Amino acid sequence: MELERVLTKLKFDEAVSGYALITNDGQPFLSFSLPEEVLPQVQGALRIHSDSLRMMNVMTGEGTVVLSRIDANWVLAVLFSPDLQLGVALQKAADVIKLMGEVNLPPPPTLASVPTPLQHPQVGATSQSSTPTELLEPPVTEPEPVFEAILEPIAEIEIEIHHGCVVFRGENYNESMTLESGLNKDIKIRFANLGIDVLLMVDEKRTIFKIAESLARGVEETLAVIRWCVPRNIVCVECPEEQETGAVEIIELPLFEGNLKKAKKEHRDLLSMCDGNRPLQEIANELNIPYFQALQSIIPYRGKTLRFVRKSKKMHS
């Protein structure tokens, strides 16, 4: 089972205000609308209970956060609305964790190694033996390599990258996922958490479009990350030509079949455009609203008067 399918169960749950995959040291990745103000409380709970954690709840001003151990490396944090009963929240989290057992999760980013300080002998210390001892100079060791941010300009790539390209890990992928390395700092400066989230979704099968869809982010945003990463050998791409492969992308298009007059007034403009011919991202762009706002607007109607139809779309280079 794919990770995005499992997370969709949370994304479309009206009782869920946000969620994130979190490492054992409290670093959030693949975060979806989890407020920054609840993170310190989550990190505090992890510092205390990380080793023994299976499932616990943390009460915050934004609602109840349920922390659930997925595997040895990852914890799922789900923020539920304040009016949801705790028992229901725990059951919802447990259902998702059960599905997570069928997902092959990517390894978390690693922490860059920090040199251990040399232990120098104390001056004036005496040995328990009466025999005088000679103070030895500490052995000369080579300094640990220090990652530095990439400052020099990198030539633009010649290949044209589009949404249908399949993304593969490059030779510098591991360094970019190492916390506090030069590439890791650089990508965070340019793209904040989105850059690392995109790299976490690189499984050498997904296209740029599928990565964007999995993260509920815009295709252009995701393209910008990949275009920056390719010349730095963090990732590489294979972009099939339509005439050579006849490749198609299966996309889901929202179709509203209800009575617009019965819909909430603030949702009517968006729902009127859900005609089964345009993806939700395109509709959001036309209305000049964030994708997440468009997503939240259709949730009350999904499965009732709104459904998604699948259509194939040829990928153009």
Side-chain angles (χ1 to χ4, degrees):
M1 183 175 292
E2 295 184 353
L3 177 60
E4 61 266 27
R5 286 191 178 183
V6 177
L7 294 181
T8 297
K9 189 175 180 65
L10 296 173
K11 188 183 301 182
F12 291 106
D13 191 329
E14 294 181 355
V16 175
S17 302
Y19 58 84
L21 287 181
I22 299 180
T23 59
N24 290 325
D25 57 357
Q27 294 291 330
F29 295 94
L30 297 183
S31 180
F32 187 79
S33 298
L34 188 68
E36 292 185 5
E37 50 267 29
V38 308
L39 190 57
Q41 292 175 262
V42 170
Q43 291 172 330
L46 285 176
R47 279 194 296 269
I48 300 171
H49 303 287
S50 178
D51 292 339
S52 59
L53 175 66
R54 293 186 63 185
M55 179 177 286
M56 67 177 294
N57 64 290
V58 180
M59 305 304 294
T60 74
E62 302 293 327
T64 302
V65 176
V66 176
L67 299 177
S68 308
R69 169 69 64 190
I70 301 174
D71 60 18
N73 298 315
W74 292 106
V75 172
L76 179 66
V78 184
L79 174 64
F80 292 95
S81 57
D83 56 345
L84 188 69
Q85 293 182 355
L86 178 58
V88 177
L90 293 173
Q91 185 58 55
K92 285 177 176 287
D95 291 342
V96 174
I97 291 300
K98 184 177 180 181
L99 294 175
M100 281 285 190
E102 304 175 25
V103 175
N104 292 323
L105 290 170
T110 55
L111 183 64
S113 59
V114 179
T116 304
L118 292 174
Q119 298 296 325
H120 294 278
Q122 296 181 358
V123 178
T126 58
S127 170
Q128 293 180 356
S129 172
S130 60
T131 305
T133 58
E134 181 181 356
L135 289 177
L136 299 178
E137 294 184 3
V140 178
T141 58
E142 293 294 328
E144 292 285 340
V146 178
F147 293 111
E148 296 182 357
I150 298 174
L151 300 176
E152 55 193 57
I154 295 181
E156 291 296 322
I157 54 175
E158 296 181 0
I159 182 173
E160 182 182 352
I161 301 176
H162 54 82
H163 72 278
C165 298
V166 179
V167 187
F168 297 84
R169 297 179 181 183
E171 60 183 28
N172 291 331
Y173 178 87
N174 288 337
E175 180 183 339
S176 69
M177 297 297 283
T178 300
L179 298 179
E180 301 305 319
S181 71
L183 281 175
N184 184 267
K185 290 179 179 178
D186 221 8
I187 196 170
K188 285 181 178 177
I189 289 172
R190 286 165 171 78
F191 304 105
N193 286 337
L194 175 61
I196 301 300
D197 287 351
V198 168
L199 293 181
L200 278 170
M201 298 303 290
V202 174
D203 62 354
E204 309 199 336
K205 297 177 183 177
R206 292 186 178 95
T207 62
I208 295 172
F209 177 86
K210 290 299 294 182
I211 291 175
E213 186 180 52
S214 301
L215 296 173
R217 301 300 291 260
V219 175
E220 290 302 320
E221 290 179 282
T222 308
L223 271 170
V225 175
I226 299 300
R227 285 172 176 153
W228 184 87
C229 289
V230 168
R232 291 162 177 81
N233 295 321
I234 298 172
V235 299
C236 55
V237 296
E238 286 187 5
C239 302
E241 295 290 342
E242 179 185 338
Q243 62 270 23
E244 293 180 358
T245 63
V248 295
E249 184 76 45
I250 302 299
I251 58 176
E252 292 187 336
L253 311 174
L255 175 62
F256 181 72
E257 299 174 309
N259 187 343
L260 277 176
K261 293 182 180 180
K262 294 183 178 180
K264 289 185 178 181
K265 189 174 181 180
E266 61 268 27
H267 297 161
R268 291 176 186 174
D269 288 345
L270 186 144
L271 292 174
S272 66
M273 299 176 69
C274 295
D275 55 5
N277 294 314
R278 287 171 288 193
L280 186 60
Q281 181 68 62
E282 182 180 323
I283 295 173
N285 292 342
E286 289 189 27
L287 293 175
N288 196 27
I289 61 175
Y291 175 85
F292 180 69
Q293 181 181 337
L295 187 63
Q296 291 293 91
S297 297
I298 67 172
I299 286 176
Y301 312 96
R302 186 182 173 98
K304 302 170 186 175
T305 54
L306 184 141
R307 63 187 176 91
F308 280 85
V309 296
R310 289 190 168 192
K311 291 185 179 180
S312 60
K313 178 182 179 181
K314 290 185 178 180
M315 296 188 298
H316 298 283
S317 58

